[in-house]
């Protein structure tokens, strides 16, 4: 996987975390660099951890499904992307984020753990595809973690300044990116690209 594809994938995966970080920023009356960094570390850390776990799960089955690995990558990325697009158009989620309470501004371990896991489940599935694509896992997860950290940290500020205006756009962009990457992997394997 080349650097541009990996960067695009990292941005796509980080859009869920960015959207939640926007909500965190919206809920905070006063943000500090420290608070933004805490959000970035939680989301970036889990976005790096989950693909590594997925990779080690996927490597167990690599020999058994090599003939269809490109289809698995295409389907997984397509499903994750479609779900992100669906969430981007969900009025219920937008309404939930639009009225934020003090509790939603919390950076407590329990709440941040749940949010970090929830926003990185898709990265677990992507990690499984990494096993089939023979990606340098350490470079990939580091890159994904750093990109997610940076975007999540910025998301806190964006949410605090602009509100939820960019939340659904970020999810939409992330979904489209993941679907296009899945298609690219499939077409490359089929020899079309």
């Amino acid at each position: 996987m080349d650097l541009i594809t990996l960067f695009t994938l990292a941005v796509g995966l980080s859009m869920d975390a960015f959207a939640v970080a926007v909500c965190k920023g919206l809920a905070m009356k006063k943000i500090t660099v420290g608070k933004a960094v805490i959000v970035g570390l939680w989301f970036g850390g889990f976005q790096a951890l989950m693909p590594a776990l997925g990779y080690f799960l996927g490597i167990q089955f690599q020999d058994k499904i090599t003939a269809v690995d490109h289809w698995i990558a295409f389907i997984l990325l397509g499903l994750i992307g479609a779900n992100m697009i669906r969430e981007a158009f969900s009025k219920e989620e937008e309404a939930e984020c639009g009225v934020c309470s003090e509790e939603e501004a919390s950076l407590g371990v329990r709440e941040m753990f749940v949010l970090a896991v929830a926003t990185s489940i898709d990265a677990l599935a992507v990690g499984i595809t990494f096993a089939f694509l023979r990606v340098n896992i350490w470079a990939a997860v580091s890159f994904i973690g750093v990109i997610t950290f940076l975007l999540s940290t910025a998301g806190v500020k964006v949410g605090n300044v602009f509100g939820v205006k960019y939340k659904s756009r970020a999810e939409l962009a992330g979904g489209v990116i993941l679907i296009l990457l899945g298609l690219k992997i499939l077409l490359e394997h089929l020899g079309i690209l």
Side-chain angles (χ1 to χ4, degrees), residues 96-178:
E96 286 175 13
C97 188
V99 182
C100 297
S101 67
E102 283 291 318
E103 287 178 16
E104 291 173 295
S106 169
L107 299 178
V109 172
R110 177 195 265 177
E111 181 177 331
M112 290 306 298
F113 177 79
V114 170
L115 289 173
V117 169
T119 58
S120 62
I121 292 295
D122 51 359
L124 179 72
V126 169
I128 293 170
T129 67
F130 282 169
F132 307 133
L133 299 174
R134 293 161 191 81
V135 171
N136 177 337
I137 191 64
W138 303 118
V141 299
S142 298
F143 200 69
I144 290 169
V146 168
I147 295 296
T148 303
F149 167 80
L150 294 171
L151 289 175
S152 298
T153 303
V156 173
K157 180 67 175 171
V158 168
N160 191 258
V161 173
F162 297 108
V164 295
K165 183 177 179 181
Y166 297 106
K167 178 183 177 294
S168 63
R169 290 183 183 147
E171 287 181 331
L172 177 63
V176 170
I177 287 169
L178 293 179

Side-chain angles (χ1 to χ4, degrees), residues 11-12 14-16 18-19 22 84-85 87-90 93-94 158 162-177:
V11 169
S14 68
M15 288 296 107
D16 270 349
F18 175 81
V22 166
M84 287 177 75
I85 291 170
E87 288 176 2
F89 291 109
S90 171
E93 209 175 280
E94 193 172 300
V158 168
F162 297 108
V164 295
K165 183 177 179 181
Y166 297 106
K167 178 183 177 294
S168 63
R169 290 183 183 147
E171 287 181 331
L172 177 63
V176 170
I177 287 169

Side-chain angles (χ1 to χ4, degrees), residues 7-68:
F7 174 76
T8 306
L9 178 65
V11 169
L13 284 175
S14 68
M15 288 296 107
D16 270 349
F18 175 81
V20 174
V22 166
C23 284
K24 282 288 184 194
L26 179 66
M28 292 177 190
K29 286 185 174 42
K30 182 178 183 222
I31 63 166
T32 63
V33 172
K35 289 178 181 178
V37 167
I38 289 169
V39 172
L41 287 172
W42 273 102
F43 292 151
F46 272 81
Q47 285 286 18
L49 175 65
M50 294 301 246
L53 292 175
Y55 175 83
F56 291 113
L57 286 172
I59 212 90
Q60 304 301 317
F61 306 105
Q62 181 182 12
D63 297 339
K64 296 169 184 62
I65 52 179
T66 301
V68 293

